Amino acid sequence: MAAAVIWARLTESFWLNCQLFGLTLLFAIPLGLVVCFGSMSRFTPLRGAVKTFVWVIRGTPLMLQILVIYLGPGLLGFASPWPSGGSGRLIAAVVAFAINYACYFSEIYRGGIESVPKGQTEAGQVLGMTRSQIFFKVTLLQVVKRILPPMGNEIITLVKDTSLANIIANKDIIMMAKEYAAKGLIWPLFSTAVFFLIFVGALTLLFDRLEKRLEYFR
């Protein structure tokens, strides 16, 4: 088989990884903020429930979570909520990834919020600002500066974790490369590293630039 054809198929398969990456961030970033607020709630039962959920998600393998979310409803005797075919497998993977990364992001958000000196919040209250005004006008930009490095690490990890979606037969670039390896072609396996290195390299440059632009918050 011509190398050009193999490269084209690897590129097409990598598009699934990119879709999973983009959709996960789209849902996990705002969901993580919601989970963060739940874990910081003054309502003790809600705070306890959210923290327990985060503990379970962070304490179990993402691969297991993908399997449970995709296969769980059917194994429990319920109708599968996922559409048939590849679209259903992709949606299930996005749900699993979004929940998993939202829990990790929530802890990063919480650490960033709690790192802002409380004196600034108290100063805002003295000036008559509401809690939402204090958060968006005083706390938020400082939080962004503090959480950018750990968020960048998690997002770069997400790029590589997208390969775990092949556990439910999502035909990503790793699965495609493994199929060629089974036919005696080893170079497609190593070539997948090029795709990931380029993607991660671009993200690294992006986060480096963002960190430099936020240096005035020191």
Side-chain angles (χ1 to χ4, degrees):
M1 186 175 292
V5 174
I6 296 176
W7 269 102
R9 290 184 177 178
L10 290 174
T11 303
E12 182 181 351
S13 298
F14 191 62
W15 173 238
L16 186 143
N17 296 79
C18 295
Q19 286 179 291
L20 183 53
F21 172 82
L23 290 170
T24 297
L25 287 187
L26 178 66
F27 294 110
I29 289 176
L31 180 59
L33 194 57
V34 173
V35 175
C36 170
F37 289 148
S39 67
M40 298 175 68
S41 173
R42 295 179 180 178
F43 185 54
T44 303
L46 174 62
R47 185 174 68 249
V50 172
K51 285 189 171 183
T52 300
F53 178 75
V54 170
W55 171 69
V56 170
I57 295 299
R58 294 178 70 202
T60 54
L62 175 56
M63 186 179 294
L64 177 61
Q65 294 165 20
I66 296 170
L67 288 170
V68 168
I69 287 175
Y70 182 62
L71 300 175
L75 294 174
L76 292 173
F78 300 104
S80 175
W82 317 116
S84 59
S87 61
R89 292 191 293 271
L90 176 61
I91 293 171
V94 169
V95 170
F97 273 80
I99 292 172
N100 181 277
Y101 272 84
C103 290
Y104 281 94
F105 290 166
S106 72
E107 289 298 289
I108 295 174
Y109 292 150
R110 185 178 62 81
I113 292 170
E114 291 179 347
S115 70
V116 176
K118 293 188 180 297
Q120 297 187 25
T121 301
E122 293 169 355
Q125 291 172 340
V126 169
L127 293 172
M129 298 173 69
T130 64
R131 291 185 66 186
S132 60
Q133 288 175 326
I134 292 171
F135 178 77
F136 287 105
K137 295 183 178 182
V138 178
T139 306
L140 183 59
L141 289 178
Q142 297 180 68
V143 169
V144 171
K145 166 64 179 175
R146 287 170 166 80
I147 70 173
L148 194 57
M151 284 290 287
N153 287 336
E154 287 296 329
I155 290 172
I156 287 172
T157 299
L158 171 60
V159 175
K160 295 171 284 186
D161 278 353
T162 56
S163 61
L164 295 176
N166 65 38
I167 192 66
I168 55 173
N170 277 302
K171 202 162 189 177
D172 76 319
I173 189 170
I174 299 293
M175 179 176 282
M176 179 65 71
K178 284 168 62 179
E179 289 183 3
Y180 286 119
K183 297 176 183 177
L185 291 174
I186 192 65
W187 69 263
L189 267 179
F190 294 101
S191 299
T192 59
V194 175
F195 289 88
F196 285 102
L197 284 171
I198 292 173
F199 201 161
V200 169
L203 287 174
T204 301
L205 291 174
L206 173 63
F207 283 112
D208 285 345
R209 179 167 293 184
L210 287 174
E211 286 185 46
K212 289 179 181 178
R213 299 194 72 172
L214 290 171
E215 284 182 351
Y216 58 85
F217 281 109
R218 287 183 176 179

